């Protein structure tokens, strides 16, 4: 029975649908949870039982309206305290695109959570309250998104209903933010006036802000072009796992499995395996039981080489005249994520692509004040939620690129060897 | 998948697939003794399909573990056996029945089989020394799951501590463990119920027949249609009737309700879900109904 029915599968849409991952930043007061609730509700991603639960809770708390923010409250301890303690992921879809929201809380552990949410995001959504204008917090959000190289940024000026939908108020915030953004690395910026509570310019165009001619938030999220953000030039293939079936049918099969981190790989390409420097040719690229003509990010494939070279996990396949230089001295921006501060000469475990090693802190060059962009060079350590420029020496060479060139081969995490906890996130400036 | 990509764009299903395969390979490379928790439900079957793709043409580099409540649907067990045969995988079955007999968990007559699975599962993980256990959980399923990591750390008691989760950045997963601890791995974290169905359709995946519309003798309890079964005798006032139904989730048959449905093909199921106004768990899972925090509590204790 199952076989017959499956043949009836005709849906074409999901084959073309693409994906946008975005991170939201802002505190409860900015109306962030209300906005997410609104996006979920208006895209019909909220189910009756979820809405009923939220309506019941709103009533029992004596609210006048259904608090959409309750839709995104996760854990009981959070509901009891009315706070959000961690990054939460939400999902919704429109006919052409699926969205993954990394919803990061505004207060506790702010930087750590924001950096986590932004690390995988194509777009960052910063909310400000139109009555307050830009705050220290909104500037900090923009700095972090820029540091994490999130290529698209949206500033949503919320609560326009509370400033009489005033163009003047909006223009002032718009101007101030654009000025500030010139100091940052933001390739694409959109500023949108909205009211999350009333739905203006969220999904439907506001009739009260006819002076605004730009897209609604949803329209922008649906149409922003993200495919071109990936590096399709510089081939980077970190080897994850060696597939050796050791079966009669595939006696001599030896495939290198991994996820393409950059460039386009094709059979016949001349490649180099790092760090050994041995060269070979791509014989075939397998995707499950099919051989494919090309592989590009973020495909997970298995590469077979024409020659019997020694390749193992942690190695990288690149092009002969375009390969990262193996390096044990790493210069990086590090976001510190634990209470005990990062200090010079500290030893940590490091994970970079599929390579694990140990690293020693050689020097902390400066601490970056994410509010003023001031570089504090007198600093001796990095505390929880602080970001600084650090020099590391690793036990084995890393096969890395600058983070500005490739977010996969330019990033790493630091792990405390005693506790096993992830304590730092690094973005490589350069290896030498 | 087509052979060439003029625009170098991957559809969202292909992106999800690539991400999940990456996770499977990381775990196989970095953990000493992984296991895939297999329930026979659609999510764990999709996991199995992704694992098959991740290591092809080699066999799965880890076994499967099923917790047998003793109240499983026979169609689900049959589908499980088809998959195990086809992949030549090794299957461990941890029986709740056995665990009760051996005093590992206590059946006080009030605790559901679903809850008794926790002790049975943790015991099986400990006894076999599994260091990583793949689960089919999705973040869209439930509020407590929305905050869970792909690599979800469990202490030596198998507990999840939501406040002590490790930050998870990029696709760099931290698999460090101490003696006696283990990791739960959720390769389907970013999939939604609809994604799962589209993938089942696209890949022509064999799932238990009870997901499709069929005739069944059912009775109503707690607002749900439950299957007539020797394990689940009717109480006073409960009347068995024949209905055209299908299951949206499969679990312990004494607790898993079905919905009235004519959807007998993947297309119709997708259409039905797309307009459904109730979550799959809200509609058909008695185990999540007891309190708003039911899932959160079970997860902390070590549930799937």
């Amino acid at each position: 029975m199952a076989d017959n029915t499956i043949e009836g599968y005709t849906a074409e849409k999901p084959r073309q649908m693409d994906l946008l991952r975005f991170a939201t930043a802002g505190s409860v007061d900015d109306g962030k949870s209300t906005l997410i609730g609104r996006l979920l509700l208006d895209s019909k991603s909220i189910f009756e039982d979820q809405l009923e639960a939220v309506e019941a809770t709103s009533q029992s708390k004596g609210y006048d309206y259904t608090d959409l923010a309750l839709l995104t409250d996760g854990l009981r301890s959070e509901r009891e305290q009315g706070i959000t303690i961690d990054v939460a992921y939400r999902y919704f879809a429109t006919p052409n695109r699926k969205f993954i929201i990394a919803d990061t809380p505004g207060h506790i552990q702010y930087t750590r959570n924001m950096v986590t949410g932004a690390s995988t995001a194509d777009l960052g959504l910063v909310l400000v309250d139109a009555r307050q204008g830009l705050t220290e917090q909104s500037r900090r959000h923009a700095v972090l998104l820029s540091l994490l190289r999130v290529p698209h940024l949206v500033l949503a000026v919320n609560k326009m209903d509370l400033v009489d939908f005033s163009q003047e108020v909006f223009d002032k915030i718009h101007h101030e933010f654009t000025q500030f953004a010139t100091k940052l690395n933001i390739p694409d910026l959109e500023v949108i006036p909205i009211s999350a509570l009333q739905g203006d310019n969220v999904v439907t165009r506001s009739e009260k802000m006819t002076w605004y001619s730009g897209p609604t938030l949803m329209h922008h999220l649906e149409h922003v072009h993200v495919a071109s953000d990936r590096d399709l030039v510089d081939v980077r293939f970190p080897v994850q796992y060696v597939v050796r079936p050791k079966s009669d049918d595939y006696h001599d099969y030896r495939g290198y499995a991994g996820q393409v981190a950059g460039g386009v790989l094709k059979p016949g390409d001349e490649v180099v395996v790092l760090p050994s420097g041995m060269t070979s040719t791509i014989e075939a690229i397998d995707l499950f039981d099919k051989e494919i003509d090309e592989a590009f990010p973020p495909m997970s494939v298995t590469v077979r080489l024409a020659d019997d070279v020694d390749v193992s996990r942690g190695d990288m396949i690149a092009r002969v005249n375009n390969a990262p230089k193996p390096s044990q001295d790493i210069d990086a921006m590090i976001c510190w994520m634990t209470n005990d501060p990062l200090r010079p000469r500290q030893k940590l475990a490091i994970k970079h692509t599929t390579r694990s090693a140990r690293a020693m802190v050689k020097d902390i060059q400066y601490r970056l004040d994410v509010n003023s962009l001031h570089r504090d060079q007198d600093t001796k350590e990095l505390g929880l939620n602080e970001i600084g420029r650090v020099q590391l020496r690793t036990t084995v060479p890393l096969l890395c690129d600058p983070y500005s060139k490739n977010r996969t081969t330019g990033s790493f995490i630091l792990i405390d060897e005693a506790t096993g906890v992830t304590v730092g996130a690094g973005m490589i400036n350069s290896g030498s | 998948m087509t052979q060439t990509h003029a625009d170098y764009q991957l559809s969202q299903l292909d992106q999800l697939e690539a991400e999940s395969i990456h996770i499977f390979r990381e775990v196989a490379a970095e953990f000493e003794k992984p296991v895939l928790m297999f329930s026979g439900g659609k999510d764990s079957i999709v996991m199995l399909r992704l694992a098959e793709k991740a290591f092809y043409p080699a066999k799965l580099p880890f076994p499967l573990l099923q917790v047998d409540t003793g109240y499983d649907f026979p169609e689900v067990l049959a589908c499980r056996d088809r998959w195990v045969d086809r992949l030549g995988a090794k299957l461990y079955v941890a029986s709740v029945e056995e665990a009760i007999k051996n005093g590992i968990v206590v059946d006080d007559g009030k605790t559901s089989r679903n809850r008794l699975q926790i002790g049975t599962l943790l015991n099986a993980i400990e006894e076999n020394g599994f260091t990583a256990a793949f689960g089919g959980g999705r973040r869209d399923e439930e509020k407590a799951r929305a905050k869970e990591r792909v690599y979800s750390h469990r202490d030596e008691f198998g507990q999840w501590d939501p406040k002590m989760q490790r930050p998870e950045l990029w696709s760099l997963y931290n698999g460090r463990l101490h003696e006696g601890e283990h990791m739960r791995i959720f390769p389907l974290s970013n999939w939604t119920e609809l994604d799962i169905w589209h993938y089942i359709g696209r890949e022509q995946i064999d799932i238990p027949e009870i997901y499709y519309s069929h005739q069944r003798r059912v009775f109503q309890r707690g607002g749900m249609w439950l299957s007539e079964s020797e394990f689940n005798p009717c109480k006073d006032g409960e009347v068995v009737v024949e209905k055209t139904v299908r299951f949206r989730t499969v679990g312990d048959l004494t607790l898993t309700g079905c919905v009235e449905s004519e959807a007998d093909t993947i297309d119709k199921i997708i259409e039905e879900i797309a307009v459904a106004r109730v979550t799959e768990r809200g509609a058909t899972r008695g185990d999540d109904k007891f309190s708003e925090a039911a899932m959160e509590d079970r997860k902390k204790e070590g549930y799937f």
Side-chain angles (χ1 to χ4, degrees):
Chain A
M1 174 175 109
D3 283 341
N4 295 336
T5 49
I6 281 173
E7 272 165 31
Y9 176 74
T10 56
E12 274 301 317
K13 267 283 179 217
R15 292 166 198 265
Q16 300 141 23
M17 242 168 114
D18 71 352
L19 181 62
L20 180 82
R21 297 176 197 247
F22 69 97
T24 54
S27 65
V28 181
D29 307 330
D30 299 328
K32 181 180 55 118
S33 299
T34 308
L35 175 63
I36 292 175
R38 169 68 58 193
L39 286 171
L40 298 179
L41 190 69
D42 287 0
S43 65
K44 301 195 169 50
S45 305
I46 297 295
F47 294 103
E48 247 169 46
D49 51 335
Q50 293 171 311
L51 197 59
E52 273 168 22
V54 166
E55 278 167 357
T57 310
S58 298
Q59 251 175 23
S60 72
K61 289 192 172 184
Y63 298 160
D64 291 341
Y65 57 90
T66 300
D67 185 2
L68 292 179
L70 292 170
L71 282 169
T72 57
D73 281 356
L75 307 168
R76 179 161 46 196
S77 46
E78 295 173 303
R79 286 195 294 278
E80 283 162 3
Q81 297 164 40
I83 55 155
T84 320
I85 55 170
D86 210 301
V87 186
Y89 294 87
R90 323 269 169 212
Y91 304 83
F92 70 96
T94 59
N96 299 314
R97 195 167 250 188
K98 170 174 165 170
F99 300 89
I100 302 178
I101 314 177
D103 180 11
T104 62
H107 11 225
I108 300 175
Q109 295 279 342
Y110 188 73
T111 303
R112 167 184 146 154
N113 287 319
M114 172 98 209
V115 166
T116 301
S119 72
T120 51
D122 306 303
L123 180 146
L125 174 61
V126 177
L127 256 96
V128 296
D129 183 330
R131 293 169 304 175
Q132 317 257 325
L134 288 191
T135 59
E136 191 173 292
Q137 187 172 273
S138 33
R139 287 193 187 89
R140 194 187 329 153
H141 296 162
V143 169
L144 291 173
L145 289 165
S146 139
L147 199 66
L148 269 288
R149 297 272 167 180
V150 177
H152 307 273
L153 182 84
V154 175
L155 181 74
V157 181
N158 192 24
K159 306 198 183 180
M160 287 300 291
D161 51 316
L162 299 181
V163 295
D164 294 326
F165 300 100
S166 156
Q167 179 175 10
E168 200 183 326
V169 171
F170 173 76
D171 284 348
K172 188 170 164 285
I173 296 171
H174 188 171
H175 178 73
E176 201 185 332
F177 189 81
T178 315
Q179 287 289 99
F180 174 70
T182 54
K183 289 191 256 175
L184 306 173
N185 201 309
I186 299 170
D188 173 39
L189 171 68
E190 191 74 46
V191 187
I192 305 175
I194 64 166
S195 164
L197 192 66
Q198 302 188 1
D200 293 86
N201 285 342
V202 177
V203 175
T204 45
R205 180 159 280 287
S206 171
E207 286 167 14
K208 294 166 192 131
M209 290 182 274
T210 45
W211 46 265
Y212 172 74
S213 57
T216 63
L217 177 61
M218 184 70 103
H219 185 274
H220 183 65
L221 292 175
E222 275 194 292
H223 292 91
V224 62
H225 190 64
V226 291
S228 55
D229 297 337
R230 297 183 190 279
D231 178 359
L232 294 171
V233 175
D234 309 297
V235 170
R236 301 289 185 265
F237 186 74
V239 176
Q240 236 191 321
Y241 187 88
V242 181
V243 179
R244 296 204 61 186
K246 295 176 189 161
S247 63
D248 292 341
D249 292 347
Y250 295 94
H251 195 75
D252 294 322
Y253 187 98
R254 194 181 170 92
Y256 306 109
Q259 187 164 23
V260 183
V264 181
L265 289 85
K266 295 188 174 101
D269 282 354
E270 237 191 292
V271 292
V272 59
V273 179
L274 299 172
S276 73
M278 306 269 273
T279 56
S280 184
T281 308
I282 296 179
E283 184 178 82
I285 303 169
D286 295 330
L287 185 76
F288 187 38
D289 56 357
K290 284 189 193 71
E291 288 189 16
I292 55 172
D293 295 338
E294 48 190 2
F296 54 89
M299 290 171 79
S300 281
V301 296
T302 304
V303 171
R304 283 182 280 141
L305 298 180
D307 304 283
D308 196 9
V309 290
D310 183 28
V311 184
S312 52
R313 176 176 167 83
D315 291 354
M316 182 182 284
I317 294 173
R319 295 304 296 272
V320 175
N321 46 16
N322 177 353
K325 193 167 138 247
S327 171
Q328 281 176 267
D329 292 295
I330 306 296
D331 173 16
M333 297 301 289
I334 287 177
C335 173
W336 194 246
M337 301 175 150
T338 195
N339 286 314
D340 287 338
L342 176 80
R343 296 195 177 96
R345 284 180 304 288
Q346 192 168 343
K347 293 187 184 69
L348 295 147
I350 185 168
K351 190 173 179 188
H352 170 260
T353 65
T354 56
R355 193 161 258 246
S356 289
R358 298 182 72 212
M360 187 173 61
V361 179
K362 300 291 280 187
D363 186 30
I364 300 175
Q365 226 175 310
Y366 60 80
R367 189 179 59 82
L368 182 75
D369 184 325
V370 289
N371 299 317
S372 64
L373 296 177
H374 174 73
R375 297 171 177 185
D376 174 10
Q377 302 191 338
D378 299 329
T379 193
K380 295 284 176 290
E381 53 183 48
L382 283 186
L384 173 66
N385 288 319
E386 291 187 337
I387 291 171
R389 186 163 179 180
V390 175
Q391 265 70 46
L392 298 174
R393 172 83 184 170
T394 56
T395 48
V396 297
L398 301 187
L399 310 164
C400 59
D401 292 296
Y403 185 74
S404 56
K405 270 189 72 185
N406 190 315
R407 288 169 87 189
T408 306
T409 56
S411 56
F412 60 82
I413 55 170
L414 296 169
I415 298 163
D416 182 307
E417 292 184 298
T419 62
V421 172
T422 306
V423 291
M427 289 145 281
I428 296 168
N429 295 321
S430 66
S432 56
Chain B
M1 150 155 285
T2 53
Q3 294 287 304
T4 48
H5 289 261
D7 52 356
Y8 296 110
Q9 226 174 320
L10 275 194
S11 75
Q12 69 107 359
L13 268 189
D14 286 326
Q15 288 193 48
L16 291 175
E17 180 187 71
E19 176 182 88
S20 301
I21 288 175
H22 172 83
I23 294 163
F24 273 111
R25 289 168 172 170
E26 277 304 284
V27 172
E30 288 201 311
F31 285 87
E32 219 161 295
K33 216 174 166 192
V35 67
L36 187 147
M37 298 189 289
F38 188 73
S39 70
K42 65 183 189 316
D43 300 317
S44 69
I45 289 174
V46 165
M47 268 210 297
L48 208 47
R49 173 65 168 183
L50 292 162
E52 180 188 11
K53 287 194 169 193
F55 304 104
Y56 188 88
K59 284 188 181 167
L60 298 192
F62 40 76
L64 316 183
L65 170 64
Q66 192 213 357
V67 178
D68 178 4
T69 61
Y71 297 160
D72 294 303
F73 290 95
E75 294 90 342
V76 173
L77 298 178
C79 183
R80 173 197 74 187
D81 293 341
R82 291 198 296 276
W83 271 93
V84 168
D85 277 355
R86 193 171 68 71
L87 296 182
K90 176 158 175 52
L91 172 72
Y92 291 85
V93 178
S95 150
V96 174
E97 223 43 86
E98 289 285 313
I100 294 169
K101 232 184 280 169
N102 297 330
I104 292 160
V105 294
V106 180
D107 185 8
D108 56 7
K110 283 177 280 185
T111 311
S112 81
R113 282 284 160 117
N114 186 302
R115 198 115 192 168
L116 293 177
Q117 284 184 79
I118 299 174
T120 311
L121 171 70
L122 291 177
N123 182 64
I125 288 174
E126 197 175 314
E127 243 179 33
N128 293 289
F130 293 126
T131 53
F134 294 103
R138 307 187 321 262
R139 289 184 184 137
D140 79 319
E141 266 179 278
E142 207 276 335
K143 290 209 273 190
R145 287 221 196 265
K147 306 216 158 174
E148 187 146 22
R149 304 290 188 259
V150 173
Y151 275 36
S152 182
H153 180 261
R154 302 302 156 105
D155 67 9
E156 59 269 55
F157 300 100
Q159 298 176 105
W160 178 57
D161 183 351
K163 285 189 175 173
M164 290 295 289
Q165 296 198 92
R166 297 170 178 178
E168 200 160 74
L169 299 107
W170 297 290
S171 50
L172 291 169
Y173 302 106
N174 174 359
R176 296 272 170 143
L177 292 175
H178 290 113
E179 188 68 31
E181 300 174 343
H182 73 277
M183 202 70 85
R184 294 291 171 83
I185 314 283
F186 297 104
L188 303 180
S189 286
N190 286 325
W191 296 60
T192 63
E193 187 187 12
L194 263 179
D195 295 332
I196 294 287
W197 281 110
H198 280 301
Y199 195 71
I200 289 169
R202 185 183 92 168
E203 302 282 313
Q204 312 216 348
I205 293 174
D206 174 21
I207 54 168
E209 296 89 330
I210 60 173
Y211 279 112
Y212 300 97
S213 173
H214 59 284
Q215 296 291 310
R216 182 172 288 267
R217 289 173 57 79
V218 294
F219 62 91
Q220 202 154 34
R221 179 181 295 166
M224 293 190 302
W225 290 107
L226 295 181
S227 191
E228 181 190 40
S229 155
E230 54 179 309
F231 305 122
N232 206 18
C234 286
K235 295 173 187 163
D236 280 348
E238 292 174 341
V239 187
V240 174
V241 289
E242 186 158 310
K243 292 256 175 206
T244 306
V245 297
R246 69 174 204 87
F247 289 85
R248 277 180 79 181
T249 67
V250 303
D252 174 341
L253 68 75
T254 65
L255 279 171
T256 306
C258 47
V259 292
E260 287 189 67
S261 169
E262 302 282 340
D264 55 358
T265 66
I266 296 273
D267 276 348
K268 287 184 196 165
I269 289 172
I270 287 171
E271 202 177 309
E272 186 183 284
I273 295 164
V275 298
R277 300 311 306 148
V278 182
T279 58
E280 57 186 339
R281 287 195 167 263
T284 62
R285 288 300 276 266
D287 34 337
D288 288 330
K289 283 205 162 176
F290 300 118
S291 87
E292 213 192 337
M295 175 68 97
E296 185 178 341
D297 291 340
R298 276 180 298 146
K299 284 188 67 61
K300 281 182 182 164
E301 283 173 40
Y303 189 65
F304 299 104

